[in-house]
Amino acid sequence: MQIEEKPADKPPFETLFAWIGGEDRVKALVERFYDLMDLESNFAVLSAAHGNTLENARERLFWFLCGWMGGPQHYTDRFGHPMLRMRHMPQQTGGGSIGIAERDQWLACMNQAMTETGVDEVLRIRLNASFFQTADWMRNRGGA
């Protein structure tokens, strides 16, 4: 994801990937995100939506975020266009029902993971805004 800003608001790096610190930092973020999902009771709805094992999800989110942030296109090199909404539909293999509760828990879990892994505060705020837009668009059922 290229960052397009007004000159006065120009971020300190050309891409979010560079800003976060590259693959190692994206990997640390994803690992903490799924560790929290697996360990914290307040993310139980989110964890249940991911099924029995989180290993496949960990790998795919890492690959996706690297490319989405403007780094290596690991996900698209393997699977083509992410088609996020289609891949998360309940009738798709591995897809789950996403409502407001799942959206909000995903966002809270990711925010906590970003905080705990030391993501720069300004970057964390920008990512939270982008993640909210995407997570809200991903909802495939109304209500909680």
Side-chain angles (χ1 to χ4, degrees), residues 15 22 59 64 81 102 107-108 122:
T15 65
E59 194 170 62
F64 172 77
H81 190 282
E102 291 82 6
L107 293 167
V122 174

Side-chain angles (χ1 to χ4, degrees), residues 31-141:
E31 290 298 320
R32 188 62 189 147
F33 172 77
Y34 282 107
D35 287 349
L36 288 167
M37 187 189 306
D38 203 28
L39 298 170
E40 300 284 335
S41 62
N42 54 323
F43 302 130
V45 170
L46 180 62
S47 184
H50 280 79
N52 295 336
T53 179
L54 298 176
E55 199 54 44
N56 187 44
R58 286 175 192 264
E59 194 170 62
R60 289 177 187 243
L61 182 59
F62 166 68
W63 291 336
F64 172 77
L65 286 180
C66 282
W68 180 80
M69 290 180 168
Q73 299 297 309
H74 300 307
Y75 189 93
T76 56
D77 288 349
R78 286 169 175 83
F79 306 109
H81 190 282
M83 299 182 288
L84 290 177
R85 197 142 186 218
M86 189 274 305
R87 293 184 195 272
H88 286 81
M89 292 304 286
Q91 66 273 21
Q92 297 297 322
T93 303
S97 180
I98 302 170
I100 292 171
E102 291 82 6
R103 177 202 65 192
D104 290 350
Q105 284 189 19
W106 195 98
L107 293 167
C109 189
M110 181 56 75
N111 184 60
Q112 185 174 338
M114 287 191 291
T115 300
E116 291 184 12
T117 59
V119 172
D120 176 83
E121 181 70 10
V122 174
L123 175 57
R124 187 182 62 76
I125 291 166
R126 287 176 188 243
L127 289 173
N128 273 332
S130 293
F131 288 150
F132 176 83
Q133 289 176 343
T134 301
D136 195 55
W137 175 75
M138 294 288 293
R139 289 190 301 126
N140 52 37
R141 68 176 163 80

